[in-house]
């Protein structure tokens, strides 16, 4: 009897991410209105915040999948940059002069590229030049083979040997399929062409340059939503891709600790001071960190590499569109 296993496609992960993102943004923009809307307004607000914790871990994980399996990295980065610029207009109207999360993802994508093109990336399975497959011994040529042997070889046998040799050469010159862990295989691998392997002896990015780019990229991301923690989360997902379970646990522990532990400390300080209740904002942050990250981990553990419906532009367009709608509702209804 086979144990039941989740099989969640990337389409479902994206739907979960945009649902959590929408809930989180509504909770941030309309907290007083939600609390005043009904007797259970505080519970609803806590629920919305908690669902918001799903979003970025899923987006970060899918970014690493896109980096590994995209057929054109430049086009992928350009598309991300375009929608980041478009989304910045409604994002600034809501939160001021802070970069939106797509800029954080764009920085993280650049760090992944730098890692793959550095000496460190040479040890990664997706960045190792494959050793050519051993080819069968070539058929004897007419210049070195006795005439008796040539005349005794049937034409059909010669044609078969030639076809075998040609197919072996073609197979050895073909770029291998992307290396995946057993629980993250891509059924549609024929449609997802992996990035080219880097086989040059000299890396494009030196180790010193990579360290500089890493520090600079993480520092630059501090000006954006999910800054500092975001690029670290993306790199952890990527580096631990062959070990999915350990990678998920380690990566998700970073945002859970950076957001959840301060929230718990605030609650503990409030209890020590003899307060009648915990600060509501700290409670919401704890739900965002622990409940949201747990739900994200459950969803990501069920991913097996299946794409589902390929509506990629819908998700790019949804981000700036829903921000604009939220801003419009605030302006029309609550000002």
């Amino acid at each position: 009897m086979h144990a039941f296993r989740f099989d969640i496609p990337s389409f479902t992960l994206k739907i979960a991410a945009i649902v959590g993102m929408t809930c989180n943004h509504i909770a941030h923009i309309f907290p007083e209105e939600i609390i005043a809307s009904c007797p259970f307004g505080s519970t609803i607000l806590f629920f919305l915040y908690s669902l918001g914790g799903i979003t970025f871990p899923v987006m970060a994980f899918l970014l690493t999948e896109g980096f590994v399996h995209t057929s054109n990295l430049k086009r992928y980065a350009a598309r991300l940059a375009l929608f980041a610029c478009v989304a910045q207009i409604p994002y600034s109207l809501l939160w001021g002069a802070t970069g939106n999360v797509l800029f954080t993802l764009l920085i993280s994508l650049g760090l992944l590229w730098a890692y793959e093109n550095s000496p460190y990336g040479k040890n990664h399975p997706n960045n190792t030049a494959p050793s050519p497959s051993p080819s069968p011994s070539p058929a004897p040529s007419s210049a070195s083979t006795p005439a008796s042997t040539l005349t005794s070889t049937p034409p059909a046998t010669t044609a078969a040997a030639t076809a075998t040799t040609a197919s072996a050469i073609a197979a050895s010159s073909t770029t291998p399929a992307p290396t995946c862990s057993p629980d993250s295989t891509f059924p549609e691998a024929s449609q997802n062409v992996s990035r080219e392997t880097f086989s040059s002896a000299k890396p494009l990015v030196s180790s010193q340059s990579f360290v500089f780019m890493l520090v600079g990229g993480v520092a630059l991301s501090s000006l954006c939503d999910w800054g500092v923690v975001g690029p670290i989360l993306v790199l952890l997902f990527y580096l631990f891709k062959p070990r999915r379970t350990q990678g998920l646990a380690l990566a998700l522990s970073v945002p859970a600790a950076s957001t959840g532990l301060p929230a718990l400390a605030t609650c503990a300080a409030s209890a020590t001071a003899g307060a009648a209740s915990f600060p509501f904002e700290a409670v919401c942050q704890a739900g965002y960190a622990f409940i949201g990250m747990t739900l994200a981990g459950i969803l990501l553990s069920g991913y097996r590499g299946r794409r589902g419906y390929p509506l990629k532009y819908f998700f790019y367009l949804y981000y700036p569109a829903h921000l604009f709608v939220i801003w419009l509702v605030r302006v029309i209804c609550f000002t």
Side-chain angles (χ1 to χ4, degrees):
M1 181 177 180
H2 297 285
F4 176 76
R5 298 178 68 192
F6 291 105
D7 184 9
I8 300 177
S10 62
F11 176 83
T12 304
L13 292 178
K14 292 175 182 178
I15 291 294
I18 65 173
V19 169
M21 175 176 60
T22 305
C23 293
N24 187 47
H25 290 167
I26 290 175
H28 270 92
I29 300 302
F30 307 111
E32 294 84 3
E33 291 80 5
I34 293 173
I35 293 176
S37 62
C38 65
F40 304 102
S42 298
T43 303
I44 294 174
L45 190 62
F46 173 78
F47 178 74
L48 294 176
Y49 269 114
S50 299
L51 286 181
I54 298 174
T55 304
F56 188 80
V58 172
M59 296 171 69
F61 179 85
L62 292 178
L63 181 78
T64 63
E65 291 294 305
F67 175 74
V68 171
H69 298 284
T70 185
S71 59
N72 192 321
L73 187 59
K74 291 182 179 179
R75 187 181 303 169
Y76 184 32
R79 183 168 60 244
L80 195 58
L82 172 63
F83 283 96
C85 293
V86 172
Q88 189 59 39
I89 298 174
Y91 190 89
S92 296
L93 292 173
L94 291 170
W95 285 288
T98 304
N100 65 76
V101 73
L102 295 185
F103 284 114
T104 303
L105 294 177
L106 183 62
I107 293 171
S108 303
L109 186 67
L111 293 179
L112 290 179
W113 176 88
Y115 174 82
E116 275 287 359
N117 285 276
S118 71
Y120 306 109
K122 294 295 181 180
N123 296 323
H124 196 277
N126 288 329
N127 199 24
T128 304
S131 57
S133 302
S135 302
S137 300
S141 63
S142 58
S144 60
T145 306
S148 58
T149 305
L150 292 174
T151 55
S152 63
T153 303
T157 303
T158 303
T162 303
T164 303
T165 304
S167 61
I169 294 173
S172 64
S173 62
T174 305
T175 302
T179 304
C180 297
S181 57
D183 58 347
S184 64
T185 54
F186 274 70
E188 69 277 16
S190 60
Q191 298 178 1
N192 287 332
V193 182
S194 72
R195 295 173 298 103
E196 67 275 6
T197 55
F198 303 99
S199 58
S200 59
K202 185 178 180 181
L204 298 177
V205 179
S206 66
S207 57
Q208 295 85 352
S209 298
F210 171 72
V211 173
F212 177 79
M213 294 174 69
L214 176 62
V215 174
V218 171
L220 182 62
S221 71
S222 64
L223 303 176
C224 307
D225 187 20
W226 271 93
V228 180
V229 175
I232 295 174
L233 187 64
V234 170
L235 287 171
L236 287 175
F237 276 137
Y238 184 70
L239 294 175
F240 286 87
K241 181 178 173 59
R243 293 177 286 175
R244 174 92 76 83
T245 303
Q246 297 90 329
L248 286 177
L250 179 61
L252 293 177
S253 67
V254 174
S258 63
T259 303
L261 292 183
L264 292 180
T266 301
C267 293
S270 177
T272 304
S277 61
F278 296 132
F280 183 69
E281 183 179 356
V283 172
C284 290
Q285 288 179 350
Y288 179 89
F290 297 115
I291 297 178
M293 300 302 157
T294 300
L295 293 175
I298 293 173
L299 290 170
L300 293 177
S301 64
Y303 177 68
R304 299 287 176 263
R306 194 160 57 89
R307 290 174 58 190
Y309 299 104
L311 300 178
K312 59 182 179 182
Y313 286 104
F314 167 76
F315 301 103
Y316 282 106
L317 290 169
Y318 181 85
Y319 183 67
H322 93 284
L323 291 177
F324 179 76
V325 170
I326 291 175
W327 172 79
L328 202 60
V329 170
R330 187 181 69 172
V331 170
I332 294 176
C333 301
F334 300 104
T335 56

